[in-house]
Amino acid sequence: MSSPSVCIVGASLDPGSRSQILAKCAAQKLSERGVSCAYIDLRDNSQRSNLIDAALSATHLVFAVPIYNFNVNGAAKEAIETLPGAALEGKTVGFLCAAGGQRSFMSVLSLANSLMLDFRCWIVPRFVYATGSDFESDLPKEEITNRIEQFVEDLLSK
């Protein structure tokens, strides 16, 4: 079995994005475990061009997404549409979500279902969902950091 490698896609285009903060925290947790990790920030056009190669070479994918109107943002959907099937098929996929309120916590499921059914992805059942009150000074609170640690553990278990 090969060593895991993770591609994290930071899908928010907002300069003050909280989902990008979650992505960076997950990348740090993976690095602490010695796991190879490519972090693609979709706000940076030069990184967008690396998305396909990074996803193709990864064993696991993480989508850090903002939640708008009870769904993931358009940039996340566009990134997934850009990827060839081989970059998704059979891979383990997890989600880090930042939202304005607690009521949209299930909104990532339509994307998860699509990836599971269309590309036979293994979806990590534990995902991180955080709202503005889960952050202090642009950093996730300890509870969220602990949840990201558990998320990373679950992600790498498959």
Side-chain angles (χ1 to χ4, degrees):
M1 184 173 180
S2 64
S3 297
S5 61
V6 179
C7 174
I8 298 176
V9 180
S12 178
L13 305 180
D14 184 347
S17 168
R18 290 191 174 113
S19 61
Q20 294 282 5
I21 293 169
L22 298 175
K24 289 175 186 172
C25 185
Q28 179 183 349
K29 297 289 183 191
L30 288 160
S31 177
E32 289 169 3
R33 290 172 176 248
V35 175
S36 172
C37 180
Y39 174 49
I40 305 295
D41 183 341
L42 295 183
R43 296 175 295 190
D44 183 343
N45 285 332
S46 65
Q47 286 189 14
R48 280 181 183 224
S49 63
N50 297 329
L51 174 61
I52 293 173
D53 289 339
L56 281 168
S57 64
T59 58
H60 298 70
L61 299 170
V62 172
F63 292 95
V65 297
I67 302 296
Y68 299 123
N69 298 318
F70 300 97
N71 210 336
V72 301
N73 71 332
K77 294 175 191 177
E78 180 184 356
I80 290 168
E81 291 293 325
T82 300
L83 294 172
L88 296 165
E89 201 149 312
K91 299 217 174 151
T92 301
V93 177
F95 299 96
L96 304 169
C97 307
Q102 291 293 333
R103 294 199 169 128
S104 299
F105 72 95
M106 293 180 64
S107 56
V108 75
L109 292 180
S110 64
L111 179 58
N113 284 338
S114 174
L115 291 169
M116 184 176 57
L117 295 173
D118 293 341
F119 299 103
R120 303 294 185 246
C121 293
W122 294 94
I123 305 298
V124 177
R126 179 186 311 272
F127 60 93
V128 176
Y129 184 92
T131 64
S133 63
D134 293 317
F135 294 84
E136 287 179 344
S137 303
D138 294 330
L139 294 173
K141 289 183 177 177
E142 183 178 3
E143 177 187 343
I144 298 301
T145 302
N146 292 340
R147 286 172 47 204
I148 291 172
E149 179 69 39
Q150 183 64 53
F151 167 82
V152 165
E153 187 173 315
D154 289 356
L155 177 76
L156 297 175
S157 70
K158 172 67 181 116

